[in-house]
Amino acid sequence: MAGSDTLIYPEEKYFKSIRQITFGGDNAEAYWSWDDKQMIFQSNNEAWGMECDQMFLMNVEESFKDSKPPMVSTGFGRTTCAYFLPDNQHYVYGSTHLANKECPEVPLRRNGAYVWPVYDSFDIFVADLEGNITAQLTNEPGYDAEATVSPKGDKIVFTSDRSGDLELYTMNLDGTDVKQITDELGYDGGAFFSPDGSKLIFRASRPKTPEAIKKYKGLLAEGLVEPTDMELFICNADGSDLKQLTFLGNANWSPFFHPSGKKILFSSNFEAEKGFPFNLYFIDIDGKNLERVTHGKTFDAFPVFSNDGKYLAFSSNRNNGGTRDTNLFIAEWQE
């Protein structure tokens, strides 16, 4: 994988080389096939005819400066969080297309604060690599999304508000045996299994004061969350032994296990006074040895290691010509 090293900042010692994959729009959450030969990611690139996020399939050696990858979602509604199943022939993802074929409205501000929508029309589907839906895994009222698959190949973790709050659940690959994993007030999401499948890392908000609780519940009733105050939590795959991992302030999110299972790579703006930049950081699973990994002035997030640990895919605002475009990059990893 030849790369352009001008995209690496001098302090980024873990990156041996780096390649830019996309060149426009918002491109994020790129996840590897189990054989590391393909990736699936979401994009809203207007140059590809997108009005909101849909899913695209790529071979890992490809990039898309002058071409468009094949779309493997329906093209209807809005999609999120695709993840390969162990057969490398199917993937799970969240989509709103059953409720409405149009893109749902995107509220970015509420009372001056930045908010994320948690659409109650999201359900989790299985599709093949041609985009044909082969199963629907959730059909509860409310938000079901953010599904990822255990490296053991037996379980899916996802976020749902079926209890009245945004909690983590696990289920079998066919949607059976649903179990609630978290139960504290706040937004629990973006969960990933450890390489051996024994643990979960995720981001969560934990409103504690009466004002914060009232605000959180009020926004959630409107299908909104404010993602500006989140920390990382770690627990066993069944929800036991839950511990808060970071106490950094601001937004700590998009965590992913290092291939060793001993460290977490995540995105944070805890060093930023005005909300930006976001950079990638390491922290040990016992909360020690915080280390900065990327050194950008804008936005680095959604880090995902290849299964063989040789590459890191992530999303970044670097090299976007001063636009707001968030593109995918694949770095050759070295330690």
Side-chain angles (χ1 to χ4, degrees), residues 83-115:
Y83 215 87
F84 273 95
L85 288 170
D87 66 358
N88 289 320
Q89 301 299 313
H90 295 83
Y91 72 99
V92 293
Y93 73 114
S95 178
T96 66
H97 71 271
L98 284 188
N100 197 325
K101 292 190 174 182
E102 303 301 316
C103 289
E105 186 186 344
V106 182
L108 290 174
R109 297 266 162 198
R110 183 55 48 95
N111 299 325
Y114 175 64
V115 291

mmCIF file of all heavy atoms in Angstrom, residues 83-115:
data_model
loop_
_atom_site.group_PDB
_atom_site.id
_atom_site.type_symbol
_atom_site.label_atom_id
_atom_site.label_comp_id
_atom_site.label_asym_id
_atom_site.label_seq_id
_atom_site.Cartn_x
_atom_site.Cartn_y
_atom_site.Cartn_z
ATOM 1 N N TYR A 83 -21.285 -3.056 9.572
ATOM 2 C CA TYR A 83 -20.219 -3.906 10.123
ATOM 3 C C TYR A 83 -20.306 -5.272 9.464
ATOM 4 O O TYR A 83 -21.382 -5.865 9.410
ATOM 5 C CB TYR A 83 -20.386 -4.041 11.642
ATOM 6 C CG TYR A 83 -19.085 -4.126 12.397
ATOM 7 C CD1 TYR A 83 -18.418 -2.975 12.821
ATOM 8 C CD2 TYR A 83 -18.518 -5.360 12.697
ATOM 9 C CE1 TYR A 83 -17.232 -3.049 13.522
ATOM 10 C CE2 TYR A 83 -17.328 -5.444 13.409
ATOM 11 C CZ TYR A 83 -16.682 -4.281 13.817
ATOM 12 O OH TYR A 83 -15.502 -4.357 14.510
ATOM 13 N N PHE A 84 -19.174 -5.774 8.984
ATOM 14 C CA PHE A 84 -19.157 -7.082 8.320
ATOM 15 C C PHE A 84 -19.516 -8.214 9.277
ATOM 16 O O PHE A 84 -19.108 -8.221 10.440
ATOM 17 C CB PHE A 84 -17.761 -7.374 7.764
ATOM 18 C CG PHE A 84 -17.509 -6.834 6.386
ATOM 19 C CD1 PHE A 84 -16.901 -5.607 6.205
ATOM 20 C CD2 PHE A 84 -17.858 -7.571 5.253
ATOM 21 C CE1 PHE A 84 -16.651 -5.105 4.931
ATOM 22 C CE2 PHE A 84 -17.619 -7.086 3.984
ATOM 23 C CZ PHE A 84 -17.007 -5.842 3.817
ATOM 24 N N LEU A 85 -20.244 -9.173 8.757
ATOM 25 C CA LEU A 85 -20.464 -10.432 9.473
ATOM 26 C C LEU A 85 -19.331 -11.398 9.128
ATOM 27 O O LEU A 85 -18.620 -11.211 8.128
ATOM 28 C CB LEU A 85 -21.826 -11.009 9.096
ATOM 29 C CG LEU A 85 -23.009 -10.219 9.684
ATOM 30 C CD1 LEU A 85 -24.331 -10.672 9.091
ATOM 31 C CD2 LEU A 85 -23.049 -10.358 11.204
ATOM 32 N N PRO A 86 -19.144 -12.462 9.926
ATOM 33 C CA PRO A 86 -17.962 -13.305 9.768
ATOM 34 C C PRO A 86 -17.828 -13.982 8.405
ATOM 35 O O PRO A 86 -16.707 -14.366 8.021
ATOM 36 C CB PRO A 86 -18.121 -14.350 10.886
ATOM 37 C CG PRO A 86 -18.964 -13.686 11.911
ATOM 38 C CD PRO A 86 -19.898 -12.799 11.163
ATOM 39 N N ASP A 87 -18.907 -14.129 7.657
ATOM 40 C CA ASP A 87 -18.784 -14.813 6.357
ATOM 41 C C ASP A 87 -18.185 -13.921 5.264
ATOM 42 O O ASP A 87 -17.956 -14.383 4.137
ATOM 43 C CB ASP A 87 -20.157 -15.349 5.902
ATOM 44 C CG ASP A 87 -21.172 -14.242 5.599
ATOM 45 O OD1 ASP A 87 -20.836 -13.036 5.771
ATOM 46 O OD2 ASP A 87 -22.301 -14.577 5.192
ATOM 47 N N ASN A 88 -17.934 -12.631 5.592
ATOM 48 C CA ASN A 88 -17.416 -11.655 4.621
ATOM 49 C C ASN A 88 -18.359 -11.425 3.445
ATOM 50 O O ASN A 88 -18.005 -10.723 2.493
ATOM 51 C CB ASN A 88 -16.030 -12.057 4.071
ATOM 52 C CG ASN A 88 -14.942 -11.900 5.110
ATOM 53 O OD1 ASN A 88 -14.933 -10.937 5.862
ATOM 54 N ND2 ASN A 88 -14.035 -12.861 5.158
ATOM 55 N N GLN A 89 -19.547 -12.005 3.483
ATOM 56 C CA GLN A 89 -20.513 -11.875 2.394
ATOM 57 C C GLN A 89 -21.737 -11.053 2.788
ATOM 58 O O GLN A 89 -22.563 -10.727 1.948
ATOM 59 C CB GLN A 89 -20.975 -13.273 1.931
ATOM 60 C CG GLN A 89 -19.852 -14.171 1.452
ATOM 61 C CD GLN A 89 -19.121 -13.589 0.259
ATOM 62 O OE1 GLN A 89 -19.746 -13.141 -0.691
ATOM 63 N NE2 GLN A 89 -17.798 -13.567 0.331
ATOM 64 N N HIS A 90 -21.863 -10.764 4.065
ATOM 65 C CA HIS A 90 -23.007 -10.003 4.573
ATOM 66 C C HIS A 90 -22.520 -8.970 5.581
ATOM 67 O O HIS A 90 -21.419 -9.103 6.122
ATOM 68 C CB HIS A 90 -24.034 -10.920 5.250
ATOM 69 C CG HIS A 90 -24.693 -11.882 4.320
ATOM 70 N ND1 HIS A 90 -24.117 -13.081 3.969
ATOM 71 C CD2 HIS A 90 -25.876 -11.815 3.665
ATOM 72 C CE1 HIS A 90 -24.923 -13.720 3.123
ATOM 73 N NE2 HIS A 90 -25.991 -12.975 2.930
ATOM 74 N N TYR A 91 -23.359 -7.970 5.820
ATOM 75 C CA TYR A 91 -23.026 -6.970 6.825
ATOM 76 C C TYR A 91 -24.309 -6.505 7.515
ATOM 77 O O TYR A 91 -25.407 -6.654 6.978
ATOM 78 C CB TYR A 91 -22.268 -5.794 6.201
ATOM 79 C CG TYR A 91 -23.097 -4.879 5.337
ATOM 80 C CD1 TYR A 91 -23.587 -3.677 5.852
ATOM 81 C CD2 TYR A 91 -23.407 -5.188 4.010
ATOM 82 C CE1 TYR A 91 -24.363 -2.820 5.077
ATOM 83 C CE2 TYR A 91 -24.173 -4.332 3.231
ATOM 84 C CZ TYR A 91 -24.647 -3.150 3.775
ATOM 85 O OH TYR A 91 -25.411 -2.311 3.003
ATOM 86 N N VAL A 92 -24.150 -5.988 8.724
ATOM 87 C CA VAL A 92 -25.276 -5.396 9.456
ATOM 88 C C VAL A 92 -25.165 -3.879 9.364
ATOM 89 O O VAL A 92 -24.064 -3.336 9.286
ATOM 90 C CB VAL A 92 -25.309 -5.817 10.942
ATOM 91 C CG1 VAL A 92 -25.611 -7.282 11.090
ATOM 92 C CG2 VAL A 92 -24.014 -5.455 11.654
ATOM 93 N N TYR A 93 -26.290 -3.212 9.350
ATOM 94 C CA TYR A 93 -26.270 -1.753 9.391
ATOM 95 C C TYR A 93 -27.609 -1.228 9.864
ATOM 96 O O TYR A 93 -28.612 -1.940 9.860
ATOM 97 C CB TYR A 93 -25.902 -1.164 8.023
ATOM 98 C CG TYR A 93 -26.953 -1.233 6.934
ATOM 99 C CD1 TYR A 93 -27.530 -0.071 6.426
ATOM 100 C CD2 TYR A 93 -27.347 -2.454 6.365
ATOM 101 C CE1 TYR A 93 -28.471 -0.111 5.396
ATOM 102 C CE2 TYR A 93 -28.279 -2.508 5.344
ATOM 103 C CZ TYR A 93 -28.835 -1.333 4.869
ATOM 104 O OH TYR A 93 -29.765 -1.386 3.863
ATOM 105 N N GLY A 94 -27.614 0.034 10.300
ATOM 106 C CA GLY A 94 -28.844 0.688 10.714
ATOM 107 C C GLY A 94 -29.382 1.521 9.573
ATOM 108 O O GLY A 94 -28.632 2.163 8.835
ATOM 109 N N SER A 95 -30.714 1.543 9.407
ATOM 110 C CA SER A 95 -31.324 2.322 8.337
ATOM 111 C C SER A 95 -32.720 2.779 8.739
ATOM 112 O O SER A 95 -33.423 2.084 9.474
ATOM 113 C CB SER A 95 -31.407 1.502 7.052
ATOM 114 O OG SER A 95 -32.038 2.233 6.018
ATOM 115 N N THR A 96 -33.089 3.956 8.211
ATOM 116 C CA THR A 96 -34.426 4.504 8.476
ATOM 117 C C THR A 96 -35.382 4.271 7.309
ATOM 118 O O THR A 96 -36.493 4.809 7.308
ATOM 119 C CB THR A 96 -34.350 6.028 8.719
ATOM 120 O OG1 THR A 96 -33.927 6.681 7.502
ATOM 121 C CG2 THR A 96 -33.394 6.375 9.839
ATOM 122 N N HIS A 97 -34.999 3.474 6.305
ATOM 123 C CA HIS A 97 -35.738 3.436 5.032
ATOM 124 C C HIS A 97 -37.150 2.849 5.158
ATOM 125 O O HIS A 97 -38.014 3.162 4.343
ATOM 126 C CB HIS A 97 -34.949 2.658 3.969
ATOM 127 C CG HIS A 97 -34.899 1.184 4.202
ATOM 128 N ND1 HIS A 97 -33.908 0.587 4.963
ATOM 129 C CD2 HIS A 97 -35.711 0.180 3.785
ATOM 130 C CE1 HIS A 97 -34.122 -0.716 4.990
ATOM 131 N NE2 HIS A 97 -35.202 -0.988 4.298
ATOM 132 N N LEU A 98 -37.394 2.034 6.179
ATOM 133 C CA LEU A 98 -38.741 1.469 6.316
ATOM 134 C C LEU A 98 -39.761 2.544 6.679
ATOM 135 O O LEU A 98 -40.917 2.471 6.277
ATOM 136 C CB LEU A 98 -38.768 0.370 7.381
ATOM 137 C CG LEU A 98 -38.176 -0.985 7.009
ATOM 138 C CD1 LEU A 98 -38.475 -1.987 8.101
ATOM 139 C CD2 LEU A 98 -38.685 -1.491 5.667
ATOM 140 N N ALA A 99 -39.316 3.537 7.435
ATOM 141 C CA ALA A 99 -40.232 4.590 7.880
ATOM 142 C C ALA A 99 -40.458 5.625 6.783
ATOM 143 O O ALA A 99 -41.561 6.142 6.632
ATOM 144 C CB ALA A 99 -39.685 5.273 9.128
ATOM 145 N N ASN A 100 -39.407 5.930 6.028
ATOM 146 C CA ASN A 100 -39.514 6.968 5.001
ATOM 147 C C ASN A 100 -38.365 6.815 4.027
ATOM 148 O O ASN A 100 -37.226 6.624 4.438
ATOM 149 C CB ASN A 100 -39.469 8.357 5.648
ATOM 150 C CG ASN A 100 -39.977 9.447 4.723
ATOM 151 O OD1 ASN A 100 -39.782 9.395 3.508
ATOM 152 N ND2 ASN A 100 -40.611 10.452 5.301
ATOM 153 N N LYS A 101 -38.661 6.893 2.736
ATOM 154 C CA LYS A 101 -37.612 6.772 1.731
ATOM 155 C C LYS A 101 -36.785 8.043 1.602
ATOM 156 O O LYS A 101 -35.699 8.028 1.031
ATOM 157 C CB LYS A 101 -38.222 6.397 0.369
ATOM 158 C CG LYS A 101 -38.792 4.986 0.360
ATOM 159 C CD LYS A 101 -39.158 4.531 -1.035
ATOM 160 C CE LYS A 101 -39.576 3.048 -1.018
ATOM 161 N NZ LYS A 101 -39.894 2.551 -2.362
ATOM 162 N N GLU A 102 -37.316 9.154 2.142
ATOM 163 C CA GLU A 102 -36.566 10.413 2.095
ATOM 164 C C GLU A 102 -35.539 10.443 3.226
ATOM 165 O O GLU A 102 -35.668 9.752 4.238
ATOM 166 C CB GLU A 102 -37.517 11.609 2.250
ATOM 167 C CG GLU A 102 -38.633 11.663 1.219
ATOM 168 C CD GLU A 102 -38.102 11.734 -0.204
ATOM 169 O OE1 GLU A 102 -37.152 12.504 -0.438
ATOM 170 O OE2 GLU A 102 -38.644 11.012 -1.073
ATOM 171 N N CYS A 103 -34.511 11.298 3.056
ATOM 172 C CA CYS A 103 -33.561 11.520 4.142
ATOM 173 C C CYS A 103 -34.272 12.215 5.294
ATOM 174 O O CYS A 103 -35.002 13.189 5.072
ATOM 175 C CB CYS A 103 -32.418 12.410 3.673
ATOM 176 S SG CYS A 103 -31.291 11.620 2.516
ATOM 177 N N PRO A 104 -34.089 11.752 6.527
ATOM 178 C CA PRO A 104 -34.709 12.450 7.655
ATOM 179 C C PRO A 104 -34.046 13.807 7.883
ATOM 180 O O PRO A 104 -32.885 14.014 7.535
ATOM 181 C CB PRO A 104 -34.465 11.507 8.830
ATOM 182 C CG PRO A 104 -33.297 10.685 8.434
ATOM 183 C CD PRO A 104 -33.323 10.573 6.945
ATOM 184 N N GLU A 105 -34.789 14.697 8.470
ATOM 185 C CA GLU A 105 -34.265 16.028 8.769
ATOM 186 C C GLU A 105 -33.120 15.935 9.766
ATOM 187 O O GLU A 105 -33.128 15.102 10.673
ATOM 188 C CB GLU A 105 -35.409 16.865 9.368
ATOM 189 C CG GLU A 105 -35.073 18.315 9.609
ATOM 190 C CD GLU A 105 -36.192 19.048 10.336
ATOM 191 O OE1 GLU A 105 -37.318 18.507 10.374
ATOM 192 O OE2 GLU A 105 -35.934 20.124 10.864
ATOM 193 N N VAL A 106 -32.113 16.787 9.590
ATOM 194 C CA VAL A 106 -30.956 16.768 10.480
ATOM 195 C C VAL A 106 -30.926 18.037 11.326
ATOM 196 O O VAL A 106 -30.578 19.105 10.839
ATOM 197 C CB VAL A 106 -29.635 16.669 9.682
ATOM 198 C CG1 VAL A 106 -28.446 16.592 10.644
ATOM 199 C CG2 VAL A 106 -29.645 15.461 8.763
ATOM 200 N N PRO A 107 -31.309 17.944 12.606
ATOM 201 C CA PRO A 107 -31.191 19.118 13.483
ATOM 202 C C PRO A 107 -29.764 19.196 14.029
ATOM 203 O O PRO A 107 -29.283 18.253 14.656
ATOM 204 C CB PRO A 107 -32.181 18.804 14.604
ATOM 205 C CG PRO A 107 -32.259 17.310 14.637
ATOM 206 C CD PRO A 107 -31.872 16.784 13.280
ATOM 207 N N LEU A 108 -29.056 20.279 13.782
ATOM 208 C CA LEU A 108 -27.679 20.405 14.256
ATOM 209 C C LEU A 108 -27.566 21.257 15.516
ATOM 210 O O LEU A 108 -26.576 21.174 16.230
ATOM 211 C CB LEU A 108 -26.797 21.010 13.157
ATOM 212 C CG LEU A 108 -26.541 20.093 11.962
ATOM 213 C CD1 LEU A 108 -25.780 20.836 10.880
ATOM 214 C CD2 LEU A 108 -25.785 18.852 12.387
ATOM 215 N N ARG A 109 -28.587 22.079 15.770
ATOM 216 C CA ARG A 109 -28.547 22.947 16.949
ATOM 217 C C ARG A 109 -29.885 22.916 17.669
ATOM 218 O O ARG A 109 -30.928 22.836 17.038
ATOM 219 C CB ARG A 109 -28.259 24.399 16.548
ATOM 220 C CG ARG A 109 -26.910 24.593 15.896
ATOM 221 C CD ARG A 109 -25.856 24.994 16.906
ATOM 222 N NE ARG A 109 -24.515 24.774 16.387
ATOM 223 C CZ ARG A 109 -23.437 24.711 17.130
ATOM 224 N NH1 ARG A 109 -23.539 24.836 18.443
ATOM 225 N NH2 ARG A 109 -22.258 24.520 16.601
ATOM 226 N N ARG A 110 -29.846 22.952 18.980
ATOM 227 C CA ARG A 110 -31.048 23.108 19.778
ATOM 228 C C ARG A 110 -30.689 24.042 20.940
ATOM 229 O O ARG A 110 -29.818 23.698 21.742
ATOM 230 C CB ARG A 110 -31.542 21.748 20.293
ATOM 231 C CG ARG A 110 -32.834 21.794 21.080
ATOM 232 C CD ARG A 110 -33.995 22.445 20.337
ATOM 233 N NE ARG A 110 -34.190 21.968 18.981
ATOM 234 C CZ ARG A 110 -35.030 20.999 18.628
ATOM 235 N NH1 ARG A 110 -35.754 20.410 19.559
ATOM 236 N NH2 ARG A 110 -35.168 20.668 17.362
ATOM 237 N N ASN A 111 -31.331 25.218 20.977
ATOM 238 C CA ASN A 111 -31.015 26.231 21.990
ATOM 239 C C ASN A 111 -29.528 26.582 21.996
ATOM 240 O O ASN A 111 -28.904 26.717 23.048
ATOM 241 C CB ASN A 111 -31.450 25.762 23.389
ATOM 242 C CG ASN A 111 -32.947 25.524 23.449
ATOM 243 O OD1 ASN A 111 -33.724 26.222 22.805
ATOM 244 N ND2 ASN A 111 -33.357 24.527 24.220
ATOM 245 N N GLY A 112 -28.961 26.652 20.794
ATOM 246 C CA GLY A 112 -27.562 27.040 20.661
ATOM 247 C C GLY A 112 -26.570 25.915 20.853
ATOM 248 O O GLY A 112 -25.377 26.089 20.622
ATOM 249 N N ALA A 113 -27.031 24.737 21.279
ATOM 250 C CA ALA A 113 -26.113 23.629 21.550
ATOM 251 C C ALA A 113 -26.108 22.643 20.374
ATOM 252 O O ALA A 113 -27.114 22.425 19.717
ATOM 253 C CB ALA A 113 -26.532 22.906 22.822
ATOM 254 N N TYR A 114 -24.947 22.052 20.135
ATOM 255 C CA TYR A 114 -24.789 21.042 19.088
ATOM 256 C C TYR A 114 -25.492 19.754 19.526
ATOM 257 O O TYR A 114 -25.309 19.292 20.649
ATOM 258 C CB TYR A 114 -23.301 20.787 18.862
ATOM 259 C CG TYR A 114 -22.980 19.683 17.888
ATOM 260 C CD1 TYR A 114 -23.332 19.780 16.548
ATOM 261 C CD2 TYR A 114 -22.316 18.538 18.313
ATOM 262 C CE1 TYR A 114 -23.040 18.769 15.658
ATOM 263 C CE2 TYR A 114 -22.007 17.521 17.429
ATOM 264 C CZ TYR A 114 -22.374 17.647 16.103
ATOM 265 O OH TYR A 114 -22.082 16.629 15.220
ATOM 266 N N VAL A 115 -26.325 19.198 18.653
ATOM 267 C CA VAL A 115 -27.058 17.973 18.997
ATOM 268 C C VAL A 115 -26.927 16.938 17.882
ATOM 269 O O VAL A 115 -26.679 17.267 16.731
ATOM 270 C CB VAL A 115 -28.561 18.250 19.255
ATOM 271 C CG1 VAL A 115 -28.754 19.052 20.535
ATOM 272 C CG2 VAL A 115 -29.215 18.943 18.065
#
